[in-house]
Amino acid sequence: MSLTFHSEYPNATIWVAILWYHPDCKDGNFLKTGWWSLTDGESVDVLSGDLAWLNEYYYYYAEASDGAVWNGPINVQVTDNAFNACVWDPSGDDRTVGFQLLDIGDNWSFTVNLVPANYQQPGGGGDGWGDGDGGDGGGTTTGDGDGDGDGWGDGDGGGDDGGDD
């Protein structure tokens, strides 16, 4: 059971950073950690454990060597070097990036597929919302439900739901 990032982005390296609620961080209650590196076809587990018991919400930022980014409105300072610090702790931060919300619902495991813009993931014929019959429905995020769910991991455990992040 883990929070996993998977690259389906050809000809580029992707670096991933995450941010999540961590009560041991006295100043801001969020921990920021990065950089995991992955190439096309690779996956990396960034957190282990029963995710639904840890948090429902996580944040992530990713950038590719060709300049593509997966970002959002939560601005946090990061460094270009590996980091693991509370969100407001000074750690040599030299730039601000925007993290995006990731709602994993009640999933024990969750995978974020990092794909190029307008990419159609092959799967079981679904429309990107997890209704592919028995296979991945397509899209960019998956929970631990089956291909007949609604994209939010509420299926009965057969395969991965597709979602559109």
Side-chain angles (χ1 to χ4, degrees):
M1 293 176 255
S2 61
L3 176 57
T4 303
F5 286 83
H6 177 76
S7 173
E8 293 184 31
Y9 198 93
N11 304 315
T13 299
I14 298 175
W15 294 274
V16 176
I18 60 171
L19 176 70
W20 75 98
Y21 176 77
H22 198 284
D24 291 341
C25 284
K26 303 293 184 238
D27 192 18
N29 287 333
F30 280 84
L31 186 68
K32 59 182 177 180
T33 306
W35 296 105
W36 290 271
S37 171
L38 57 159
T39 59
D40 189 24
E42 289 185 327
S43 295
V44 62
D45 295 337
V46 299
L47 283 176
S48 295
D50 297 333
L51 294 181
W53 283 5
L54 297 173
N55 290 303
E56 178 179 351
Y57 304 104
Y58 297 85
Y59 300 86
Y60 74 96
Y61 170 83
E63 60 187 38
S65 56
D66 68 358
V69 295
W70 293 261
N71 62 355
I74 308 300
N75 292 322
V76 174
Q77 289 188 328
V78 298
T79 180
D80 287 332
N81 300 314
F83 59 91
N84 185 28
C86 293
V87 68
W88 305 125
D89 286 352
S91 57
D93 297 333
D94 54 14
R95 62 187 174 120
T96 301
V97 299
F99 284 74
Q100 67 175 286
L101 176 65
L102 179 62
D103 182 347
I104 66 156
D106 61 359
N107 290 296
W108 300 108
S109 291
F110 200 88
T111 296
V112 177
N113 291 313
L114 301 170
V115 298
N118 300 319
Y119 175 78
Q120 291 297 316
Q121 179 179 355
D127 64 1
W129 292 102
D131 60 359
D133 195 16
D136 288 342
T140 57
T141 58
T142 57
D144 62 359
D146 73 7
D148 294 324
D150 65 1
W152 296 104
D154 63 354
D156 63 9
D160 286 339
D161 280 350
D164 217 3
D165 182 68

